[in-house]
Amino acid sequence: MNSLSLAWRLLLRQRRAGDLKVVIAALAVAIAALVSVMSFADRLQRALKFQGSELLAADLVVRSPYPPKFEWLAEISRLGLKSARTVSFRSVVIHGEYSQLAEVKAVAEGYPLRGGLRVAADVNVEDASVVGIPPMGTVWVDGQLLTLLNMTTGGRVNLGSRQFLTDKVITLEPDRGGTVFAIAPRLMLNLADLPSTELIQPGSLASHRLLVAGDVGLIGVFRDWMQDRKEAGVVLQDAGNAQPRFRAALNKGEQFLGLATLVTVLLSGVAIARAARNYAQRHLDTVALMRCVGATQRKILEVLITQLLILGTVGSAIGCALGYVAQQAFVYLIPGLVAGDLPWPSLTPAMVGVSAGVVTIVGFAAPIIIRLRGVPPLRVLRRELGTLPNHVAAVYITAMLTLAALVFWVARDVTLAAYVLGGSLIAVVLLSALSYLLIRLINHMRGGVTVTWRFGIAALARRAGSSIGQIVAIGIGVMAILLLTLVRSDLLQAWRANLPPDTPNHFLINIQPGQLADIEKYFREQRWRRPHLRPIVRARLMAINDRPVRPQDFADAFAQRVVQRAANLSWMETLQDDNELVAGEWWRDQERASPLVSVEKQYAEALGLSLGDKLKYRIADQEITVAVSNLRTVAWDSFRPNFFLLVPPALLNGYPASYITSLYVPRSRAHQINALIKKFPNVTNIDVDALLRQVRRLVDRINAVLEYIFLFTVLAGIVVLYAAIQTTQGERRQEVAILRTLGATRRQLSIGMVSEFVVMGVLAGAVGALAAMLIGYGISAQLLDIPYRLQFRTWLVGVGAAVTIVTGAGILGTYRLWRTSPWQILRNH
Amino acid sequence: MTPDVIVQAEALTKQVSSPEGALTILDGVSMSVRSAETLAVVGVSGSGKSTLLGLLAGLDEPTAGRVILNGTDLSQVDEDERARVRAGRVGFVFQNFQLLPSLTAIENVMLPLELTGHARAEQQARSGLGRVGLADRVAHYPAQLSGGEQQRVAIARAFATNPRILFADEPTGNLDEKTGGRIIDLLFDLNREHGTTLILVTHDRAIGIRCDRRLELSAGRLLGEPI
């Protein structure tokens, strides 16, 4: 009989004996946890991209200096994607005797493809979301433009050679986002009206946007198609490179989901490892018997490995099915978790799941199985012979390699995987060494404790190899759960700290130097927080290192805009706490008037600037050249006035400056802002309340998603811990039965077992929690760039939680032992 | 129950579920054992002997009927109370020894003493092991002892608390004839010394003959005294 058919027959017999349930169940639970977390994380990750799409008004934007080409539109229609066009340019808007330069945006039917516009009937009136675009003959404007043109809605404005009715005030434009206070006020009109304004002629400086939305896969196809045909000046933009203010939140959310998936892989690996060892242990008799009846070692190996492959496939397949059901169930349990529908689950998690199951069970069991060949046939007669060899190192090395391969396979972020794996490796070594020492130590103490404690300690010591394995498994489980808890709470705190309830929701710009004292006084009277007034000097970039700059010299759209528009130069004595120096040095006291400039990193990258480069600016009719002295990163999501360019405080003395500040005023008290504008008519108020609400909603959604994934992973972790403890239940059953025949009460037995669980929990918890804190520190501080504090209390909580979970799972696992007749157990043993 | 009856069974029935439906292992067995009496329960394999023993010792629960052990109606008390009834008063010797593999010989013998809070458990256990001829094996683990030696440890453990009743389930079943004979001698000797009531299950008629009284079971029913 060939090995495959023999393996299959033997498996069927074992199934009848109920032997396979344990290993298949462990495998199925582990793979179900892996597949459900991975699949859900994958769907949410794609959904989060969609949240980002709201801020782009599309899934993908093609920006070009000319109208979209016919072939682009043809490809979009061939793929069945939705599209809409917008054209943006600057032009003067006139109302009576007032005129103002505005950012004009002509939008076509269908805009925005993602997210929505919000408009109000007039300034400081409750806004509402709106479907559709300005009807022909009308324009929608932002409040700032109305103030500047000294008009209200219902008035008429001239744009080019046309006159339009000003119909509504825009309070939220999804794709305007990040640069809200740095640009001229908005005027939006219907694209169909654009030709009649005669403003756009061939060669006009306008930015054409083609918004595209649809199925994630098809968007990818279109993106690739466009990449191959992209000409100079054409830029593709998706949520990944959308507004910097939101990108940080999205990235961190994605990294956390990645971490949760890795942690689940780790947990699953540990669970499968325990199951594999258990399976091998149960096969001692079978192997001995097979050798008695003349099976060669090679034959035995073939049969066992084939059985493992079959088991791996069956268990993983069941796990995959359960995993998909579980993650789908969750989608129904939490409706409205993300805006719109979740994308369909992909097949990748299933593929990873099945491979993980098969690879891990073979990887973990192979070293044991290979040694099983050496079981003497005499074991059939003498059970004590040929107990399972405990070559811990060999098993662990193979297992860790298998798990490492799996983690790197699943990880999208190699650094993250390296942190998790490196930390786990240190934890495994520490756990093995410490548990070995501890078991030896307490074994010496067992004479000095009461019978119930001795029973627990003796059990630990007698099963030293298996106990070490169990403690390592539990320790890794505790580490994984705690790691996720720590990183999650760090992330939450960082987000909360970034957007406190009093985050500024209004920007006041165009404050004149002579008004500073009055403005401060007004703030005091209103009991508002003292304003941070930041100076702005408008300047135009003329040359970099003496080479004149023109927009068309840059491929990057952001760089083009920078060169095209006037820049805001500001100055500061010291660095604001939402800025961080990444290169060069901040100016010293003696450099207060030196021609230096501090440049925001992204801005520097777009223009290709490095330290020491010389930038020539024109301010009114004068020119000034400054050298790049340092580069900064800016937390744009702080909603405080921030600048791409900063100069030393005394450099621009005598240049015409205006001031800007931000403040928080509750929506219910918006009239206070109106009063301020009436008192200082030249000051312009920019209301970012709607934008802020949009950011908050996004962060809330990401939070809800992470919360769920977190809970789910923790649940998977607890199941895995439970499974790890269950692996020694066979031995425990007999011990409990014997003690019961000798008259031990449930209380006495409980103390004995609890003592064993407590020792395991303390050790696993102490080392696991320590490892979690160290890895958490690495991930939070280095990868996610959020503040992290190592706290003794966290460690203590970790140990406490570990003891509670391990003891709880242990008691739960042994509960059935009380209910079975000891006679039955002893007779079956 | 007459004053010197220590174990009494009334209409004991035990059924278990099987793929073919309910299987009756014991069918209305009534019997009683007097204090210090030695009783052999004999019968072929599968006749229900061991099941009866488990029920008499309160290690299993009957489907119908009741057992009164040492004055306590076992059907009226919970598992913990049954454990208390056993503690210190009931000893066991099993066919497959049932020693705790994680404890040494002396720790195994100390177990029942410590469970009842005996003050000089170690001393008592050491003397018990000496009595069964294992004074030099006290620190050995069960896996390091032969089958005969393991059964001696089990006997030392059974007598350690000086129990009123000893239940023995095929105590020689796993041993060769010569070793088995020595074990049975030891068992009866100790029983005499301690004045213990012995209820012994065996399929070996030669062992049965050494008891005061014999009951034969066949297909779950009591046939009466065979000899």
Side-chain angles (χ1 to χ4, degrees), chain A residues 229-449:
Chain A
R229 286 160 186 78
K230 224 175 73 176
E231 295 167 15
V234 177
V235 177
L236 297 182
Q237 200 181 13
D238 61 18
N241 54 25
Q243 321 288 3
R245 198 165 277 172
F246 306 97
R247 197 169 47 202
L250 279 181
N251 282 352
K252 283 170 189 169
E254 283 191 9
Q255 274 176 317
F256 184 83
L257 288 181
L259 178 66
T261 310
L262 287 190
V263 159
T264 317
V265 171
L266 206 62
L267 286 170
S268 312
V270 172
I272 296 169
R274 299 304 300 165
R277 192 185 182 283
N278 230 22
Y279 181 72
Q281 178 88 53
R282 293 167 89 99
H283 268 64
L284 289 171
D285 287 345
T286 316
V287 171
L289 200 67
M290 280 171 77
R291 296 203 46 199
C292 274
V293 295
T296 60
Q297 293 196 349
R298 185 194 156 92
K299 183 92 176 170
I300 290 173
L301 199 64
E302 280 174 7
V303 167
L304 289 176
I305 295 283
T306 312
Q307 285 186 343
L308 277 181
L309 286 173
I310 297 173
L311 279 178
T313 315
V314 172
S316 309
I318 295 174
C320 281
L322 286 176
Y324 273 107
V325 171
Q327 57 93 25
Q328 191 58 35
F330 190 75
V331 175
Y332 289 115
L333 283 176
I334 302 191
L337 190 64
V338 292
D341 291 334
L342 268 185
W344 277 101
S346 68
L347 274 177
T348 321
M351 275 154 40
V352 173
V354 172
S355 326
V358 175
V359 168
T360 325
I361 198 164
V362 173
F364 275 98
I368 305 173
I369 295 259
I370 288 166
R371 296 198 63 88
L372 267 185
R373 291 182 311 168
V375 170
L378 203 59
R379 186 180 152 90
V380 172
L381 304 175
R382 297 277 307 273
R383 279 186 67 91
E384 65 274 17
L385 286 179
T387 48
L388 197 60
N390 252 318
H391 282 246
V392 179
V395 176
Y396 281 170
I397 288 167
T398 324
M400 283 299 286
L401 285 178
T402 313
L403 206 56
L406 204 66
V407 164
F408 275 108
W409 183 33
V410 173
R412 295 175 194 205
D413 186 331
V414 178
T415 328
L416 189 70
Y419 272 110
V420 171
L421 270 185
S424 311
L425 187 68
I426 294 170
V428 166
V429 172
L430 260 180
L431 279 166
S432 312
L434 283 179
S435 41
Y436 174 76
L437 285 176
L438 186 89
I439 285 169
R440 287 199 60 161
L441 181 76
I442 59 174
N443 198 24
H444 283 298
M445 288 164 29
R446 72 192 212 183
V449 295

Side-chain angles (χ1 to χ4, degrees), chain B:
Chain B
M1 199 162 89
T2 50
D4 62 342
V5 169
I6 191 161
V7 182
Q8 185 167 353
E10 294 172 8
L12 277 187
T13 299
K14 179 74 179 177
Q15 289 180 326
V16 292
S17 53
S18 74
E20 288 84 31
L23 186 69
T24 304
I25 302 175
L26 276 184
D27 189 3
V29 173
S30 297
M31 55 167 286
S32 60
V33 185
R34 289 188 306 280
S35 186
E37 187 180 20
T38 55
L39 171 76
V41 180
V42 297
V44 294
S45 284
S47 58
K49 311 184 291 287
S50 292
T51 303
L52 176 64
L53 196 74
L55 290 174
L56 293 178
L59 293 175
D60 203 357
E61 289 176 80
T63 314
R66 63 174 188 157
V67 173
I68 298 165
L69 177 66
N70 210 13
T72 306
D73 183 346
L74 298 181
S75 63
Q76 300 297 313
V77 296
D78 65 4
E79 169 56 27
D80 255 6
E81 191 51 42
R82 287 200 290 272
R84 273 187 208 104
V85 171
R86 283 194 294 272
R89 299 185 199 99
V90 176
F92 288 94
V93 176
F94 298 95
Q95 178 177 358
N96 42 9
F97 325 134
Q98 302 291 6
L99 299 176
L100 282 180
S102 56
L103 299 184
T104 59
I106 191 161
E107 285 172 343
N108 262 292
V109 180
M110 279 160 71
L111 259 184
L113 292 164
E114 290 180 314
L115 286 170
T116 52
H118 200 285
R120 293 160 60 227
E122 190 178 342
Q123 217 173 347
Q124 181 103 351
R126 201 173 287 279
S127 123
L129 279 174
R131 175 66 186 86
V132 297
L134 290 177
D136 55 346
R137 291 276 200 276
V138 284
H140 284 54
Y141 284 99
Q144 298 166 320
L145 299 170
S146 71
E149 286 170 331
Q150 288 188 52
Q151 195 60 302
R152 280 163 195 264
V153 176
I155 289 172
R157 182 178 69 183
F159 283 100
T161 55
N162 204 5
R164 293 196 63 193
I165 316 160
L166 184 75
F167 291 97
D169 183 19
E170 303 272 14
T172 59
N174 269 358
L175 303 171
D176 63 77
E177 200 179 327
K178 196 169 160 191
T179 314
R182 284 196 195 127
I183 289 291
I184 284 295
D185 289 344
L186 181 66
L187 194 63
F188 276 92
D189 287 351
L190 281 167
N191 195 55
R192 230 180 351 265
E193 287 169 23
H194 292 260
T196 315
T197 310
L198 174 68
I199 301 177
L200 183 145
V201 160
T202 182
H203 62 272
D204 185 342
R205 284 172 182 267
I207 297 175
I209 287 170
R210 295 178 65 168
C211 292
D212 301 339
R213 199 151 64 93
R214 287 152 298 279
L215 291 177
E216 184 166 357
L217 274 178
S218 173
R221 287 169 176 274
L222 210 52
L223 294 183
E225 302 202 9
I227 305 164

